[in-house]
Amino acid sequence: MFDLPELVVLARQMNESLKGKTIRRGQLGDSPHKFVWYNRTHEEFEELTAGKRVGEARPKGRFIFLSLEPGYTLLLGECGGKVLLHPPGSKLPKKVHLYLHFEDDAFFTVTTQLWGAMELYEAGEEQNRDYVKGMKTTPVEPEFTFDYFSALIDSLLGEKKRSVKALLTQDQLIPGLGNAIAQDIMFRARLHPRHPITDLGTDQRRTLYDATLDTISAIIDQGGRYDEVDLYGNPGGYVRLMDKEAVKRPCPECGGEVKKIQYLGGSCYVCNTCQL
Ligand SMILES: [Zn+2]
C-alpha cells in the first residue's frame, strides 16, 4: 500500500517526466478487477482522455491528483502496486488497471495489488469525493505545524480512549499514514502503540510530532520504502526500523528484544524497554 511519502515521490517524478505529454490513447483495465474503483466506462475514459495534456501531479493523503488539461483530473489512490512510466518501445506489463499511451510513444501504467481508485473527474469535482472532501491537513503541508498537531490531540481528548497508534492510523486524522510507517514513528518517539494520548505532555507531543515529520522526510529523501518501486521501477532506499525483520535483531537503541503484537488491525513491532 502506498502511503503519503511514496505518493510524494511518485508525484515529483510524474512532474519531472509526465508533465507536458499528450495522451494518444487512455484505457482502463484490461482485466476485470472488482476491487478497482472506476467511475467511467471504458468508452468514456478513452474518449475523455484522448488528446489531453498531462499537467501537475499533486499528492494528498492517500491520493495523487493528476491534472489532464484541459478540464479534467485523474485521481489515483488508496492503492498499492505499481505506478510506472515505460519508455518508448518497452513491453507492456500483462496486467494493468490503467494505461495512458502518449504521443511520444512512452506510456504510463497503474497496476494495483488489492484495490484502488482510478477515477476521472471534471476538474474540481474530485474535491467532492468521499475521503477527499473534508480531508484533514496532511503532514507534508506547511499548515501541519506543532500547534496544529497539538490542537488535533486536544480535540480528541473528550471522546473514547484513543492510543498513539489510533491517532496515527485511524479515521484519517493524519491522512496518508499507514500501519508500517506508524511503527517507525512510534519507535522514534519512544512511545508504545497502546500509549493513551490523554496523558501526552507537551514534550511527548513535540517528540511525536518531530518523529512523524522526521520519518516522512526520511522516506521521501530515500525515494520511498525498499519494498515499493518508483515511477521508473526502481526500489526505494528506506529500510524500516521496526517491521517483521526487526524481531530477528536486537533493538537498535537498547539491544533488547523486539516483540510482535497484534493491535488495532495490524502487526506492531515494539521494544518494551524503549517504548512506553
Ligand atoms: Zn529498545
Side-chain angles (χ1 to χ4, degrees), residues 187 242 251-258 271-275:
F187 181 72
M242 287 300 206
C251 165
E253 183 66 22
C254 72
E257 192 184 352
V258 175
C271 172
N272 286 322
T273 306
C274 294
Q275 290 174 262

Side-chain angles (χ1 to χ4, degrees), residues 30-96:
D30 58 4
S31 59
H33 193 312
K34 65 180 174 175
F35 294 114
V36 180
W37 311 313
Y38 297 125
N39 69 340
R40 302 282 181 178
T41 63
H42 283 73
E43 294 74 22
E44 273 178 332
F45 188 82
E46 195 164 334
E47 192 179 315
L48 292 172
T49 52
K52 295 288 188 295
R53 193 165 36 82
V54 176
E56 191 83 15
R58 288 177 301 111
K60 190 160 192 215
R62 281 241 165 78
F63 300 99
I64 287 179
F65 300 88
L66 180 65
S67 178
L68 298 185
E69 295 161 355
Y72 285 85
T73 302
L74 180 62
L75 175 146
L76 303 171
E78 307 230 347
C79 62
K82 288 188 175 149
V83 175
L84 295 170
L85 172 66
H86 309 264
S90 307
K91 207 171 158 223
L92 258 183
K94 275 203 183 101
K95 186 174 175 182
V96 297

